[in-house]
Amino acid sequence: MATQTMMSSMTTTPSEAACGARITGIDLCEVIDSLTAHALRDALAHHAVLCFPAQRLAVQDQLRFAALFGKADSANRPKSGQMRERGALLVSNIR
């Protein structure tokens, strides 16, 4: 029996800008399987910037996802806002 992977539902849509792609069809709150992780690393290498719209990640989800691309930064961050975990930083375009 074939194993279902997230990659089978993942869609990569290149941006019309100079770089970047939109990734849909995967839930970053779930554990990412190895085939999908490999596809995401390839997409990052090819497009340089990846956008994952409509994802609501807890800090631990963000840290787990970031670890797919290498060791997360372990520097201490200012303790402001909701993101107080080492290796996680809140970035938003909402003021």
Side-chain angles (χ1 to χ4, degrees), residues 3-4 7-8 12 14 16 22 63 69 72 80 82-84:
T3 301
Q4 179 73 15
M7 191 175 77
S8 62
T12 303
E16 294 179 10
R22 181 181 174 107
L63 294 173
F69 300 95
S80 62
Q82 296 177 352
M83 300 293 240
R84 294 176 185 238

Side-chain angles (χ1 to χ4, degrees), residues 34-53:
S34 61
L35 289 175
T36 304
H38 182 75
L40 289 169
R41 287 189 290 271
D42 284 349
L44 182 61
H46 182 75
H47 299 286
V49 175
L50 300 179
C51 175
F52 298 89

